[in-house]
Amino acid sequence: MTADLYSALFIALLAAFLGYEVISRVPVLLHTPLMSGSNFVHGIVLVGAMFALGFATNLVEQVIGFLAVVMGAMNVTGGYVVTERILEMFDRSKKGAK
């Protein structure tokens, strides 16, 4: 059990570090359009988190699964909010009305 937990923590830390390094190297002008264009990836993460929560057998797994679902839902929602804000910036009909 502890070897599995250490492996899972190692993979999570490695993924977090790698994600930070990849995103930090994206130019500022490209970051928001790239992230808003990849909303489908956030949905896949949310579905994976729901599967993990569904197959949880003990309290620790249930807590981690619940946190994953909550964070995945926030990620999906944030992606769509960013997309809407970007689309509003390029909406010509609202600029002409002012």
Side-chain angles (χ1 to χ4, degrees), residues 29-41:
L29 292 175
L30 292 178
H31 183 265
T32 305
L34 286 174
M35 292 307 292
S36 65
S38 64
N39 283 333
F40 69 94
V41 173

Side-chain angles (χ1 to χ4, degrees), residues 19-88:
Y20 177 78
E21 287 297 317
V22 168
I23 295 300
S24 68
R25 301 198 192 294
V26 174
V28 176
L29 292 175
L30 292 178
H31 183 265
T32 305
L34 286 174
M35 292 307 292
S36 65
S38 64
N39 283 333
F40 69 94
V41 173
H42 306 306
I44 293 169
V45 168
L46 181 59
V47 170
M50 288 189 287
F51 271 107
L53 180 59
F55 289 113
T57 57
N58 59 29
L59 183 63
V60 173
E61 292 174 354
Q62 290 172 346
V63 169
I64 292 172
F66 176 75
L67 290 174
V69 169
V70 169
M71 286 194 247
M74 289 183 343
N75 204 5
V76 169
T77 305
Y80 283 109
V81 168
V82 168
T83 301
E84 286 298 315
R85 290 184 70 187
I86 290 172
L87 292 175
E88 285 179 9

